[in-house]
Amino acid sequence: MTAHLMFQPDQARQLQTCIHCGLCLPSCPTYMVTGREADSPRGRLVLMNSIDRHEWSDRSGHFVHIDRCLGCLACETACPSGVPYGSLLEQVRSFQRREVTPLKLGSRTILRWTTAPVLRRRLTRLLAWLQKLRLDRLAVRLRLLPRPLRMQLAGLPKLPAKSFTAAAEQRFEPRHPEGIHRETVALFAGCVMDSWFANVHAATVRVMQWNGYTVIVPAGQHCCGALHAHAGIDTATGAKGERVGDMSAFSQTGAAALIVNSAGCGAHLKHAAADGLPQVVDAVEWLVDNGLLPPVHKLPEKVTYDAPCHLFHAQKIVQQPEALLRAACENLIPLPESEVCCGSAGLYSLTEPDLSRQILGRKLAMLEKVDAEIVATANPGCQMQIQGGLKLDGQRRQVRHTLEILDAAYSLDETYRRVFAE
Amino acid sequence: MPLNDSLTRRFRKIVGRPNVDTGTAELLTFASDGLTLHQAAPECVVYPQSTGEVAAIVKACNRAGVPFVARGAGTGLSGGAIIDGGVIIQLSRMNQIIYLSADNRFAIVQPGVVNSYLSLQTRPYGLEFAPDPSSQAACTIGGNVAENAGGPHTLKQGVTLNHVLGQTVVMADGQVATFGGPYLAQTGPSFSSFLVGSEGTLGITTEVTVRLVPVAAGITTMLATFADPAGATDSVTAILAARILPSALEFIDQLCIQAVEAHLKVGFPTDAGAILLIELDTDDERSKGQAETIEALCREHGAIDFTLAQSEEERQKLWLGRKHVAGAMGKISPAYYTNDGVVPRSRLTDILQAVYRIAGIHKLKVANIAHAGDGNIHPLILFDPDTPDGADRALACSEDILAACLEMGGSLSGEHGIGLEKREMMARMYSGADLAHMRRLRNGLSPLGLLNPCKLLPEGARCGEVKNGATLPEGTWL
Ligand SMILES: Cc1cc2nc3c(=O)[nH]c(=O)nc-3n(C[C@H](O)[C@H](O)[C@H](O)COP(=O)(O)OP(=O)(O)OC[C@H]3O[C@@H](n4cnc5c(N)ncnc54)[C@H](O)[C@@H]3O)c2cc1C
Ligand code: SF4
Ligand code: SF4
């Protein structure tokens, strides 16, 4: 028996459940683009096995293809043999960071500036100031920056004046139109979502209240660490003092559920959340599974839905977003290849700009074919990537969180507007 | 022997630098296809995008005297798409549907188009590509042509051969030839047909004109449950003897059912000895009568339950279960070998009993699926590759099963091809004269013997063995 460099015995066994059938190939976005076996799930599993079982003097060639993996988990959905690709990938990445190549400085910097509270506040202020002076548009138009950065800038939402969470716990009472009171839930605010997508949180809270739930937003929340885990960095040792992955703010809430509205965070927390926390549930999943209050009026705009990988493939939340959007929109137009990654994938658009751009290109081409004014999705990374891509591509379409769309549909009703105008 | 530098330089000129792979990691991933028993890495992989590029690559290989092989998705189950040293011409980027004529019911496609993608694109026109191998989500039309692929619905519709109207082929010497055309009625002998099923040993297909058939207007899907597998196979014979030709007639035994249900929950009865999945491509009055006859015949042969799929969703689920059987084996065994024998369908019950008996002798577990209507069996022979003789025992078991098929008047392969591991058995099926003519054809079309060498025909000592791990470090896979 050969020794294992990287995998635990049970993981090595999981790797063996890959029977090399190749059924995962066509669903892999990197394989779609390069047509290379080494850029396919099956090829990557071969490379993982090879790294695990051999003392290669130079493993860099292997890791090139591991680096190119989006971690989108479309391969898990396609695999008839149930290969747990995602967890194997995380193990490989953390081995890589420990033993082979540390995360590049640029990526580390971005991770810190987006997930560490103090730095993020500074970055947000800087970006908001750029937006106010319209310098961001100038930078995008004048091509002053490399394309991946321009795209991020173009895709940035209008930054709110302050983040959603406050110094003290906030509590929002139910506002069900018939006065019904349902469970109390806690909202996970996250890092980037909290600072840049405060309006999505506000919409989430309103629709929860309208559906009869009490929402608490604990103070002292931290980044969940999803980005770190995907990049292979151990949060316990990696980011000192930043308390990444510290979920203690939720342990005393007594909430029926820990509601997450960002697909990436939700997928990570469902896996990694410690004991003693409320059950982690995606916001759309929660609303639909527990019976959604249908909006009185439907949005007239043409809407299409791009499924975030970490909702569709990682959390297997497939039906609910569509059910919700069908209730909220008059014209829901199916998007071909909706479940194929947009190329955002955490830091991917910055670490693998060329591939990311090609993968996004495919997505934009699909969007171009579809006659929709609004693209619904449910993950900050996807939202910025697709919005940025659309802008640089000259397509005038808005990308919105699914819950913002539901909120907008509810808002067509005067009572809803009045209740929340207070 | 490292590939000479001038050849790789030539390739880079033809297809551009990024489209030539020579790195250890990249080559390693091409060391096997869907059959992991054989491992042999190429020395170079080239990704062409046009017929012209393929022709130029083939010519360069000829000039350098280096062997080469075409590869689609690498889902083949007979080691067809691997080469020990030499060049893989990887066709995954030639994946465009070039032309679609809905009125005339044909399409011209590049070889790298994925089988199910083609039907996805033609279904809005009410048409589809009939051959539906279980690997259809991934395998390519080029691979289907080379292996003459079949599937559950080829019972009525016919195999790939019946759906290829014409081909553009880069011959072994690099010349480009076009055989056949978009219409069924054609002049002269059908050279295109000659190439179908030749496992990529006579030429590299770079364009295929495929026939498209109308999507069935209605469908009746039935699930018959049996306590005894023999009851299921007897029913198959009875149904076909009653002059009913279902569009599909699939046999699935208990171990397969349990593997699928453990993972997918499609609604197969886990305590059944075997099930039959039976489909008619109509749902009118006549098919109602046929379904009743089928039910009566199944019950007569011991069916303990018989149900009709009530919705399209239920039907899709049943088929999903069927198509995932092979894949689900990974859940119950670290490795398996797929046998592909064929018997006259009146001998199905006999061969199945023989399969269980032979597996018992070899002390191996075997899970059985079969395109029962075609008499094409797929015993999945489970083994542990970490025991020293695991793979050898599985192969020996498979060989005995094939010998039993031949004894019953059957053949070595229904659809997966001969490839590497079965080629020596060809001599048991064909006479010396048969084989000599096949070899003459091959030598005539591929005089240098560089195109996909060592496959299909028994080669004796001429070819050297492609051994497990011949060019790879020990334990690379398996
Ligand atoms: C889970 C599973 C289920 C399967 N079920 C079925 C089934 O139901 N029915 C069935 O028939 N098969 C089945 N197969 C086998 C396999 O999918 C088929 O043989 C398929 O046709 C191979 O296509 P491919 O693109 O993967 O070809 P590859 O594996 O890449 O190649 C197969 C052979 O074709 C040659 N080839 C490929 N492209 C060309 C070309 N353009 N020109 C010339 N030669 C070429 C290669 O050299 C090789 O010899 C199954 C396989 C798996 C893994
Ligand atoms: S996670 Fe996505 S990119 Fe990575 S191998 Fe799987 S399908 Fe491909
Ligand atoms: S589909 Fe699953 S078993 Fe098949 S090659 Fe991909 S990962 Fe392996």
Side-chain angles (χ1 to χ4, degrees):
Chain A
M1 216 29 257
T2 335
H4 296 287
L5 255 186
M6 171 165 85
F7 291 127
Q8 303 297 319
D10 61 320
Q11 287 175 314
R13 255 192 310 279
Q14 288 171 343
L15 188 65
Q16 298 296 328
T17 59
C18 172
I19 49 158
H20 219 254
C21 67
L23 293 195
C24 50
L25 263 57
S27 64
C28 174
T30 56
Y31 182 78
M32 283 181 200
V33 167
T34 75
R36 264 199 181 84
E37 184 74 23
D39 292 327
S40 81
R42 178 173 68 175
R44 291 190 175 109
L45 289 163
V46 168
L47 294 176
M48 289 179 191
N49 191 53
S50 162
I51 296 166
D52 188 42
R53 295 209 178 189
H54 300 284
E55 287 284 358
W56 292 96
S57 53
D58 178 14
R59 305 190 196 90
S60 53
H62 290 57
F63 280 111
V64 166
H65 302 284
I66 303 290
D67 286 341
R68 287 188 191 165
C69 174
L70 295 146
C72 70
L73 305 192
C75 46
E76 282 196 7
T77 302
C79 177
S81 188
V83 175
Y85 181 89
S87 67
L88 294 170
L89 177 70
E90 284 197 3
Q91 178 74 11
V92 174
R93 290 226 162 122
S94 87
F95 170 82
Q96 179 186 10
R97 295 301 165 236
R98 272 195 327 268
E99 314 268 334
V100 190
T101 38
L103 195 64
K104 291 217 179 84
L105 181 68
S107 299
R108 262 184 296 151
T109 314
I110 291 168
L111 259 187
R112 294 203 58 195
W113 281 80
T114 48
T115 61
V118 179
L119 294 178
R120 185 173 69 248
R121 228 167 288 142
R122 278 187 214 154
L123 176 67
T124 309
R125 230 174 286 139
L126 172 75
L127 290 170
W129 178 77
L130 280 178
Q131 280 188 342
K132 199 174 281 163
L133 297 177
R134 303 203 159 213
L135 288 176
D136 58 329
R137 295 192 194 188
L138 200 65
V140 169
R141 215 170 306 133
L142 289 183
R143 311 190 174 210
L144 292 174
L145 297 166
R147 190 183 156 101
L149 281 181
R150 272 193 287 135
M151 220 177 65
Q152 298 295 323
L153 264 187
L156 210 62
K158 172 137 186 15
L159 293 176
K162 56 183 181 42
S163 56
F164 189 73
T165 52
E169 175 173 303
Q170 302 170 77
R171 187 183 173 90
F172 301 89
E173 299 301 332
R175 306 305 285 270
H176 192 284
E178 284 151 30
I180 295 173
H181 282 219
R182 306 176 77 177
E183 292 89 336
T184 298
V185 297
L187 179 72
F188 174 72
C191 49
V192 169
M193 282 295 290
D194 189 28
S195 300
W196 301 356
F197 291 88
N199 52 338
V200 174
H201 284 331
T204 306
V205 168
R206 282 193 296 271
V207 303
M208 287 283 170
Q209 291 176 279
W210 189 245
N211 276 273
Y213 302 106
T214 304
V215 185
I216 41 184
V217 184
Q221 298 192 33
H222 300 277
C223 164
C224 68
L227 284 176
H228 305 73
H230 297 159
I233 11 186
D234 186 351
T235 48
T237 57
K240 286 189 200 75
E242 286 164 18
R243 300 176 65 188
V244 170
D246 179 350
M247 298 293 289
S248 55
F250 295 93
S251 48
Q252 303 300 326
T253 53
L258 175 47
I259 298 291
V260 185
N261 57 11
S262 137
C265 307
H268 178 70
L269 287 171
K270 279 185 181 177
H271 265 295
D275 294 342
L277 286 181
Q279 186 200 0
V280 178
V281 189
D282 176 77
V284 172
E285 181 186 21
W286 175 265
L287 283 167
V288 174
D289 287 357
N290 291 313
L292 178 76
L293 188 65
V296 183
H297 307 289
K298 292 188 175 193
L299 272 194
E301 282 93 344
K302 290 180 217 150
V303 178
T304 194
Y305 172 63
D306 182 65
C309 300
H310 281 103
L311 212 53
F312 191 102
H313 300 297
Q315 299 186 57
K316 307 272 177 268
I317 298 177
V318 176
Q319 311 290 349
Q320 294 93 330
E322 231 189 282
L324 184 145
L325 288 169
R326 221 175 297 118
C329 311
E330 240 161 58
N331 292 305
L332 182 62
I333 306 170
L335 176 65
E337 299 190 1
S338 164
E339 75 290 351
V340 177
C341 185
C342 64
S344 164
L347 302 174
Y348 194 86
S349 53
L350 302 165
T351 55
E352 298 287 338
D354 289 344
L355 268 181
S356 174
R357 185 175 170 182
Q358 291 180 63
I359 293 165
L360 175 66
R362 203 176 158 107
K363 180 67 69 190
L364 296 177
M366 292 297 159
L367 284 169
E368 181 121 54
K369 280 195 213 157
V370 170
D371 175 30
E373 296 142 90
I374 301 177
V375 183
T377 189
N379 191 59
C382 310
Q383 189 162 339
M384 290 193 282
Q385 169 96 344
I386 299 174
Q387 188 70 75
L390 285 170
K391 276 197 188 153
L392 295 201
D393 203 36
Q395 294 190 43
R396 303 173 67 91
R397 292 161 214 252
Q398 295 296 316
V399 187
R400 289 278 179 271
H401 193 285
T402 316
L403 292 175
E404 287 182 284
I405 292 171
L406 178 64
D407 180 54
Y410 283 145
S411 301
L412 296 176
D413 177 16
E414 204 213 332
T415 333
Y416 186 87
R417 285 204 304 273
R418 209 179 44 233
V419 163
F420 292 107
E422 288 162 12
Chain B
M1 175 196 70
L3 207 62
N4 72 41
D5 278 350
S6 72
L7 184 59
T8 38
R9 240 179 289 133
R10 181 83 201 103
F11 288 155
R12 289 193 181 115
K13 255 195 212 121
I14 298 168
V15 293
R17 174 171 286 275
N19 299 323
V20 181
D21 277 345
T22 51
T24 317
E26 288 80 15
L27 299 182
L28 192 61
T29 60
F30 283 99
S32 78
D33 58 6
L35 173 72
T36 48
L37 278 179
H38 299 288
Q39 303 266 338
E43 285 169 294
C44 180
V45 181
V46 197
Y47 304 82
Q49 293 190 25
S50 67
T51 301
E53 286 183 0
V54 175
I57 293 164
V58 169
K59 280 188 188 139
C61 289
N62 272 285
R63 225 169 291 134
V66 172
F68 55 97
V69 60
R71 179 168 157 132
T75 68
L77 291 172
S78 51
I82 63 171
I83 195 162
D84 191 6
V87 177
I88 285 186
I89 302 177
Q90 170 64 39
L91 298 165
S92 48
R93 289 191 202 158
M94 290 180 67
N95 60 358
Q96 301 301 310
I97 296 174
I98 301 168
Y99 184 77
L100 170 68
S101 172
D103 290 345
N104 295 305
R105 293 189 185 163
F106 74 84
I108 303 176
V109 305
Q110 288 190 309
V113 167
V114 170
N115 175 303
S116 62
Y117 178 78
L118 174 58
S119 288
L120 186 73
Q121 297 301 314
T122 59
R123 225 164 268 140
Y125 304 94
L127 298 170
E128 62 190 2
F129 181 61
D132 59 341
S134 304
S135 52
Q136 71 183 136
C139 64
T140 66
I141 301 294
N144 293 166
V145 171
E147 298 288 352
N148 192 12
H153 290 87
T154 47
L155 170 60
K156 188 166 181 181
Q157 296 275 10
V159 287
T160 303
L161 176 66
N162 306 96
H163 299 271
V164 174
L165 297 168
Q167 297 181 54
T168 297
V169 185
V170 173
M171 305 306 289
D173 60 0
Q175 292 195 53
V176 179
T178 299
F179 302 117
Y183 308 107
L184 267 176
Q186 291 176 3
T187 318
S190 172
F191 278 104
S192 167
S193 309
F194 235 122
L195 292 164
V196 177
S198 65
E199 303 187 12
T201 62
L202 301 181
I204 297 178
T205 306
T206 55
E207 262 178 46
V208 191
T209 306
V210 294
R211 191 156 77 92
L212 300 170
V213 298
V215 178
I219 293 178
T220 311
T221 306
M222 295 154 265
L223 179 69
T225 307
F226 297 83
D228 179 6
T233 43
D234 284 343
S235 303
V236 171
T237 317
I239 292 167
L240 294 167
R243 309 244 243 131
I244 297 172
L245 183 56
S247 58
L249 190 41
E250 295 288 301
F251 169 94
I252 306 171
D253 85 352
Q254 187 172 50
L255 199 50
C256 297
I257 295 172
Q258 290 172 351
V260 169
E261 282 297 312
H263 176 44
L264 272 177
K265 305 248 178 320
V266 298
F268 289 163
T270 45
D271 49 354
I275 53 175
L276 286 180
L277 196 55
I278 311 161
E279 194 158 276
L280 301 170
D281 53 6
T282 45
D283 63 351
D284 51 12
E285 280 310 310
R286 185 156 165 267
S287 54
K288 255 192 211 125
Q290 289 186 332
E292 277 162 21
T293 313
I294 291 172
E295 170 162 12
L297 290 170
C298 287
R299 295 220 184 254
E300 198 179 299
H301 290 95
I304 46 177
D305 196 16
F306 190 95
T307 54
L308 278 143
Q310 294 304 327
S311 63
E312 176 60 18
E313 195 189 343
E314 209 176 298
R315 188 184 95 80
Q316 297 280 1
K317 252 187 160 174
L318 293 174
W319 279 111
L320 184 76
R322 167 59 188 86
K323 303 233 157 168
H324 276 55
V325 167
M329 288 300 125
K331 281 263 154 201
I332 58 173
S333 173
Y336 70 93
Y337 174 83
T338 311
N339 176 290
D340 180 35
V342 181
V343 291
R345 51 204 179 203
S346 58
R347 303 298 301 273
L348 265 178
T349 307
D350 299 335
I351 192 67
L352 209 67
Q353 275 165 3
V355 167
Y356 289 121
R357 185 172 41 77
I358 292 167
I361 295 172
H362 289 273
K363 299 200 171 55
L364 289 167
K365 264 199 194 171
V366 58
N368 276 289
I369 34 175
H371 303 309
D374 290 326
N376 183 193
I377 57 168
H378 286 320
L380 307 167
I381 304 165
L382 313 184
F383 68 93
D384 183 352
D386 279 340
T387 59
D389 61 344
D392 291 341
R393 268 171 47 213
L395 275 177
C397 174
S398 177
E399 218 176 295
D400 289 351
I401 294 172
L402 290 180
C405 289
L406 292 180
E407 240 160 63
M408 294 181 192
S411 88
L412 292 175
S413 167
E415 51 188 25
H416 299 165
I418 300 299
L420 274 170
E421 88 288 358
K422 284 184 295 248
R423 68 195 155 137
E424 295 307 329
M425 287 193 83
M426 288 284 273
R428 292 207 218 169
M429 186 167 163
Y430 292 105
S431 73
D434 297 346
L435 287 172
H437 279 88
M438 292 186 207
R439 195 165 294 122
R440 271 169 70 183
L441 175 71
R442 176 149 167 194
N443 290 347
L445 289 176
S446 176
L448 299 183
L450 296 175
L451 175 53
N452 206 4
C454 314
K455 311 281 172 66
L456 189 57
L457 298 179
E459 302 277 348
R462 218 189 96 191
C463 233
E465 269 302 291
V466 180
K467 282 194 291 293
N468 184 5
T471 52
L472 293 171
E474 171 266 328
T476 299
W477 190 257
L478 279 180

